[in-house]
Amino acid sequence: MKIHIIGGPGSGKTFLADNLSKQFGIPHYDLDDLQWDNAANDYGTKRNPQERDALLNQILQREDWIIEGVYFAWCKQCFEDADEIYVLDVPRYKYRYRIIRRFIRRKLGFEKGKKESFKSVKDLLKWADKYQKVNLPEIRNLLAPYSCKVIE
């Protein structure tokens, strides 16, 4: 089984991916780990596109996978290969609350995560609003040819 989960920050992608991974015994991959260089000293350092795409192609070659993330421009092959595509769309108050809660939990050491700052969270909240208004409609258009396997 090949599952792609797409949605904005705080929409529940990782939660759903973790649960499906446990339920079906399928490995789960976060596209953030491909897009961002988590070994870098600074928060927000991107991998070069060739390295990112090579990592993605390695995942796509597997028999089973669950891929989750906000990205769509470089994920066309994921959508083509997926058996199911989940599109997560949650209300603004909910994703904003989840983003802030996650930041606080990470700062207090209750949750493992990236090296975020107050500024990066503020920027993420703005970006999440834009994602909902601009990117999500674009994603729905992009996924129209795959409507038979899209689950909202």
Side-chain angles (χ1 to χ4, degrees):
M1 184 177 292
K2 298 177 180 181
I3 299 171
H4 190 98
I5 303 168
I6 189 165
S11 63
K13 298 177 303 296
T14 303
F15 179 81
L16 178 59
D18 284 343
N19 283 315
L20 291 173
S21 179
K22 289 173 189 166
Q23 181 179 353
F24 296 117
I26 299 172
H28 156 218
Y29 303 94
D30 184 341
L31 291 175
D32 275 344
D33 293 334
L34 280 61
Q35 175 75 354
W36 304 103
D37 184 353
N38 292 329
N41 291 330
D42 297 323
Y43 177 79
T45 303
K46 287 185 180 183
R47 290 183 192 273
N48 72 57
Q50 295 80 16
E51 183 182 0
R52 177 201 67 203
D53 293 347
L55 291 168
L56 179 59
N57 285 329
Q58 287 176 11
I59 295 167
L60 295 177
Q61 297 306 310
R62 296 182 57 97
E63 186 175 321
D64 295 311
W65 45 256
I66 298 171
I67 295 173
E68 59 99 348
V70 299
Y71 311 101
F72 58 97
W74 50 273
C75 295
K76 186 172 187 208
Q77 194 63 49
C78 299
F79 302 135
E80 288 181 17
D81 293 355
D83 298 311
E84 294 177 345
I85 303 168
Y86 290 85
V87 178
L88 304 184
D89 183 6
V90 298
R92 183 176 192 258
Y93 77 90
K94 189 171 281 192
Y95 69 75
R96 291 177 71 83
Y97 167 77
R98 289 174 176 171
I99 290 168
I100 294 167
R101 181 185 67 190
R102 179 176 60 204
F103 171 73
I104 292 168
R105 291 182 54 80
R106 287 176 177 173
K107 283 294 181 194
L108 295 175
F110 296 132
E111 189 174 311
K112 185 181 171 196
K114 298 170 180 63
K115 308 165 195 162
E116 297 166 313
S117 65
F118 286 111
K119 181 187 180 320
S120 67
V121 170
K122 181 182 167 192
D123 292 345
L124 180 60
L125 290 168
K126 286 181 185 177
W127 189 85
D129 289 342
K130 177 186 171 274
Y131 187 90
Q132 289 295 115
K133 292 176 186 170
V134 177
N135 296 76
L136 205 49
E138 189 176 333
I139 290 165
R140 286 189 173 106
N141 287 336
L142 180 71
L143 294 177
Y146 314 109
S147 61
C148 63
K149 56 184 176 179
V150 172
I151 301 160
E152 291 242 5

